[in-house]
Amino acid sequence: MPNMYEPVSYEAYQDSHAFPGGMEAQLPAEGSIPRGGHMPFEIANTNDGYILAKTTLSSPLDSTQIDRLRAGQLYDIYCGICHGKKGDGKGTLVKREKILGVPSYDDAGRAITPGSIYHTIYYGKNAMGSYANQLNEEERWQVVDYVMELKADLEK
């Protein structure tokens, strides 16, 4: 019984009566996301997209869904090394001069909003890379809320 230990190989584009369309290869189901992929973000990675996010995007989480402790831990892991524990732009890498020019969250010229923070976490900006693969959507919004708290504390 060689068919028990010698697998039958299929060519991706060979004819088959087992699938609709008569071919082995099939299109992915509509709306499916590749394994390891992240949810698509409908706002573009452009300056116009950034401005759109800055002015229109807001958190889908309400105050009962915000976990301050967890948000702080995520911030410390992914953001604090550059942006600093207080959001003042004086993280460990900045102090060691590995990265320069990290602005404070209360910089009036930037006037960050939840939408601009989310867009920046998702796509990255300038020297900062994207964190879309490290943080899922809910975690990104947790970090956004934490950054807005740090901004408010700096503005006092």
Side-chain angles (χ1 to χ4, degrees):
M1 297 206 275
N3 62 348
M4 295 293 285
Y5 55 86
E6 291 180 8
V8 177
S9 61
Y10 293 98
E11 292 293 326
Y13 298 104
Q14 80 182 26
D15 292 336
S16 170
H17 299 293
F19 298 102
M23 194 179 299
E24 290 292 329
Q26 300 293 302
L27 294 174
E30 187 176 327
S32 63
I33 297 170
R35 175 184 254 174
H38 51 270
M39 292 297 294
F41 187 39
E42 55 278 344
I43 297 178
N45 184 16
T46 62
N47 284 335
D48 289 339
Y50 176 80
I51 293 167
L52 178 66
K54 185 174 185 173
T55 57
T56 63
L57 193 61
S58 61
S59 177
L61 304 179
D62 64 31
S63 61
T64 63
Q65 294 173 304
I66 301 296
D67 182 348
R68 307 259 186 257
L69 177 63
R70 185 163 157 256
Q73 291 169 340
L74 291 169
Y75 177 86
D76 289 345
I77 292 167
Y78 296 106
C79 313
I81 192 77
C82 297
H83 291 278
K85 291 266 188 196
K86 298 178 183 177
D88 55 4
K90 296 177 183 169
T92 304
L93 293 180
V94 173
K95 289 178 185 174
R96 293 181 183 170
E97 297 182 355
K98 302 294 182 189
I99 296 176
L100 302 174
V102 177
S104 176
Y105 292 142
D106 68 342
D107 182 6
R110 293 177 63 220
I112 61 175
T113 66
S116 68
I117 297 165
Y118 188 89
H119 190 275
T120 302
I121 292 171
Y122 194 91
Y123 289 119
K125 190 161 184 72
N126 300 328
M128 179 181 149
S130 169
Y131 284 85
N133 285 332
Q134 288 84 357
L135 298 166
N136 66 34
E137 182 178 9
E138 184 265 338
E139 291 170 334
R140 289 191 290 268
W141 283 115
Q142 295 282 349
V143 171
V144 166
D145 185 73
Y146 193 79
V147 168
M148 291 304 291
E149 278 187 27
L150 293 176
K151 178 182 187 257
D153 290 345
L154 288 169
E155 290 173 341
K156 288 181 183 177

